[in-house]
Amino acid sequence: MANFTREAIKASFLRLLEERPFNRITVKDIVDGCGINRNSFYYHFQDIPTLLEEMIRGETDAIISRYPSVGSIEECLDVAARFALEHRSAVMHIYHSVSRDIYERHLWELCDYAVRIYFDAVFPDARISAGDRDVLLRYFKCETFGAVTDWLERGMEADVIADFRRLCELKKGHAEEMVRRCEEEQK
């Protein structure tokens, strides 16, 4: 029963986030939306930011488990943008709230995960130093995170996936060349 109540609270909160800004949602709104009392809310969550943190953490974990491998840098962006595309209004309300850092922290984690599994899949035998590998991973993670946050900052108006795919077309071979240079320096 406790898990059912917890999930009902999350569903109510997400519905409200689709309708209005984060700072206009109260605990009363959430509990009215799922038919429980305030004590039940506080039994499960300390406050609304804690609820938000758990929801985003759960979605991040779910995305990671759904994507055990990523075959291209374009797919990395796809993974990072998926939740935002499915819940556009809610994400924009979170992004423009005082709790934006929670969303960005988990987006950063998701970008890190996607880039690492992409790099390991595409360059499994790369003979580069640990330092060079870290530099390359940070670069691609920042590129992915930057593309998503720029898109959010512009109100999710552009087709970020199409834009990023085009950029990747223009940069084709860039990652391979970077790895090749790192390998050359190792010789």
Side-chain angles (χ1 to χ4, degrees):
M1 183 68 161
N3 194 35
F4 176 80
T5 302
R6 193 175 199 84
E7 293 307 311
I9 292 168
K10 290 179 190 177
S12 176
F13 182 52
L14 184 57
R15 276 191 307 276
L16 289 165
L17 274 172
E18 294 284 351
E19 298 169 4
R20 61 180 99 148
F22 180 81
N23 67 343
R24 308 272 279 200
I25 298 172
T26 65
V27 171
K28 180 177 180 350
D29 297 330
I30 296 168
V31 299
D32 287 351
C34 61
I36 63 169
N37 62 40
R38 290 175 65 85
N39 289 341
S40 293
F41 175 90
Y42 288 112
Y43 174 80
H44 294 283
F45 300 100
Q46 179 181 349
D47 52 23
I48 294 176
T50 304
L51 167 60
L52 178 64
E53 174 83 35
E54 183 174 310
M55 285 179 61
I56 294 174
R57 155 76 25 229
E59 189 60 32
T60 301
D61 291 346
I63 290 169
I64 288 171
S65 71
R66 281 194 308 260
Y67 292 91
S69 66
V70 175
S72 69
I73 198 70
E74 297 95 318
E75 195 175 344
C76 291
L77 180 66
D78 236 9
V79 169
R82 186 160 311 282
F83 182 83
L85 290 168
E86 292 172 5
H87 301 283
R88 179 187 170 103
S89 293
V91 168
M92 291 308 296
H93 287 142
I94 295 166
Y95 189 74
H96 293 295
S97 76
V98 296
S99 294
R100 172 185 187 163
D101 64 313
I102 295 169
Y103 184 81
E104 286 182 338
R105 189 171 58 251
H106 290 285
L107 176 61
W108 187 252
E109 178 185 338
L110 193 56
C111 291
D112 180 70
Y113 170 77
V115 166
R116 284 179 188 283
I117 62 172
Y118 159 73
F119 194 87
D120 291 344
V122 175
F123 303 108
D125 301 322
R127 290 178 300 243
I128 62 176
S129 70
D132 282 348
R133 183 179 191 280
D134 286 346
V135 166
L136 293 174
L137 290 174
R138 279 195 314 273
Y139 170 77
F140 291 119
K141 177 174 58 174
C142 290
E143 184 177 50
T144 304
F145 181 84
V148 174
T149 55
D150 177 64
W151 172 61
L152 290 168
E153 194 61 41
R154 291 182 290 123
M156 300 169 74
E157 294 299 321
D159 183 352
V160 69
I161 295 180
D163 288 353
F164 204 69
R165 287 183 191 279
R166 177 63 181 142
L167 180 61
C168 288
E169 269 180 45
L170 296 171
K171 290 176 54 175
K172 195 167 285 302
H174 182 72
E176 292 80 0
E177 179 62 19
M178 292 170 78
V179 169
R180 186 196 65 72
R181 287 181 184 175
C182 291
E183 288 176 330
E184 284 293 315
E185 290 176 7
Q186 289 295 325
K187 291 181 181 180

